[in-house]
Amino acid sequence: MHAITIPEPGGPDALVWDEVPDPVAGPGEVLVEVVAGAVNRADILQRQGFYNPPPGASPYPGLECSGRIAALGDGVSGWAVGDEVCALLSGGGYAEKVAVPAGQLLPVPEGLTVDQAAALPEVVCTVWSNVFMVAHLRPGETLLVHGGSSGIGTMAIQLAKAVGARVAVTAGTEEKLERCAELGADIMVNYREQDFVAELERATGGTGADVILDNMGAKYLDRNVRALAVNGRLAIIGMQGGVKAELNIGALLSKRAAISATSLRARPLEEKAAIVAAVREHVWPLVTGGHVRPVVDREIPMPDAAAAHRVVEESGHIGKVLLVTPN
């Protein structure tokens, strides 16, 4: 088969479409013939040499994919060869085939094409596990999403609105904010021109956000704490703004607030399977019912993965950028 390899870390041109050995489905795994994968910022970090796959994972980038089951490993039940699926991966989505633990598979939802489904697993599992399973967003509460026009952001807006929450977002252009509003966002903040703490305080009458989903890390830590409501919960899922910052514990104590920081890729298989099962139970009915949809900016042939990485690095997209395998 062919896969995107990274012979040496570097810029987008470090991604090389090359012939590699076929994977084999081990016990408890299925082999998926990949129709499409999706680009995540973790893939960019891996390409740059900063985010290696966990031990035993595929060396190729790609944390989600969609396709059809080609083979079943020993002990797998509930799936059949030919089933259309999408999958949460620890790596290997930028390839024509990938072996996946059966607990990380989801059926392609009714109403979506196989390639569209590649935009779902990583973002849905990230949002559901952090916003709902960890931060426990409830109806009537306010969620602040940084990077509202990203794949994570567009999904967080839709899921929060589906459960009856109010949604505030930050984004860097009016076009991106308009798209967030179309998806249901209530409070729009242009982070290049406005202070999200002040804007959120004004829009909520001084209450602040009950839950904040943050991809920036250090750069936003102090302002995120100031933007939290009493009993607020800050969920950190990224480090685009650095890894070290000073925390005002007094401010955190005064609000009885909580901070969580999670990653999905390196979690044990049983934790990933539990998240995937929760997503299938709670989110898949919203997708099949048309209440939640993946936002796909564009599809790019997988051999041209370098072009897709440039788009994502330049933030020249809204939603997800997909990589489609050659016919």
Side-chain angles (χ1 to χ4, degrees):
M1 72 166 189
H2 285 81
I4 291 290
T5 64
I6 309 173
E8 295 289 339
D13 290 330
L15 301 173
V16 178
W17 183 247
D18 202 358
E19 192 166 353
V20 298
D22 283 16
V24 176
E29 295 182 333
V30 302
L31 183 66
V32 175
E33 289 186 347
V34 175
V35 171
V39 179
N40 290 280
R41 290 198 177 269
D43 305 332
I44 293 171
L45 291 174
Q46 180 174 339
R47 188 203 76 215
Q48 295 170 335
F50 299 132
Y51 193 23
N52 292 327
S58 169
Y60 317 123
L63 301 182
E64 57 193 338
C65 75
S66 61
R68 299 176 181 88
I69 294 179
L72 303 176
D74 291 342
V76 174
S77 60
W79 300 98
V81 171
D83 284 350
E84 294 185 340
V85 296
C86 54
L88 179 69
L89 308 172
S90 297
Y94 291 21
E96 292 178 321
K97 298 176 184 177
V98 63
V100 186
Q104 292 168 216
L105 284 181
L106 289 157
V108 170
E110 261 182 62
L112 295 187
T113 63
V114 179
D115 54 342
Q116 286 175 321
L120 287 173
E122 174 73 13
V123 295
V124 175
C125 289
T126 296
V127 172
W128 190 260
S129 62
N130 284 280
V131 175
F132 297 95
M133 296 174 73
V134 175
H136 302 291
L137 181 70
R138 294 182 287 268
E141 291 190 323
T142 297
L143 168 69
L144 170 60
V145 182
H146 290 302
S149 63
S150 66
I152 293 286
T154 54
M155 181 56 60
I157 293 167
Q158 295 179 78
L159 287 177
K161 295 301 292 185
V163 302
R166 188 182 189 194
V167 180
V169 298
T170 63
T173 69
E174 292 307 310
E175 178 190 1
K176 290 182 176 181
L177 290 172
E178 287 172 9
R179 186 70 180 107
C180 292
E182 291 171 4
L183 292 170
D186 305 285
I187 303 165
M188 268 64 65
V189 180
N190 186 326
Y191 68 80
R192 299 184 192 278
E193 302 173 358
Q194 298 169 295
D195 174 17
F196 70 81
V197 179
E199 292 300 317
L200 193 64
E201 182 177 7
R202 181 187 59 78
T204 62
T207 301
D210 300 286
V211 175
I212 299 176
L213 185 63
D214 175 58
N215 59 354
M216 293 300 293
K219 183 178 180 180
Y220 278 9
L221 180 61
D222 178 67
R223 282 186 286 166
N224 277 333
V225 172
R226 287 192 280 126
L228 280 174
V230 173
N231 295 315
R233 291 86 72 195
L234 168 60
I236 300 173
I237 59 169
M239 302 175 292
Q240 292 180 40
V243 299
K244 292 184 179 181
E246 186 171 288
L247 174 63
N248 184 335
I249 297 175
L252 202 65
L253 284 169
S254 69
K255 293 186 175 184
R256 302 186 297 278
I259 299 175
S260 63
T262 72
S263 64
L264 191 55
R265 187 180 199 180
R267 287 187 183 224
L269 293 181
E270 59 271 19
E271 290 187 19
K272 290 183 183 179
I275 292 169
V276 169
V279 162
R280 185 168 184 176
E281 177 183 357
H282 297 287
V283 180
W284 249 227
L286 296 173
V287 179
T288 57
H291 305 291
V292 171
R293 309 293 284 183
V295 177
V296 177
D297 186 276
R298 68 193 75 183
E299 297 185 0
I300 294 174
M302 194 172 286
D304 298 329
H309 274 222
R310 290 189 183 95
V311 170
V312 174
E313 283 187 277
E314 294 166 2
S315 295
H317 64 296
I318 295 174
K320 299 288 286 189
V321 175
L322 300 187
L323 295 171
V324 181
T325 55
N327 292 327

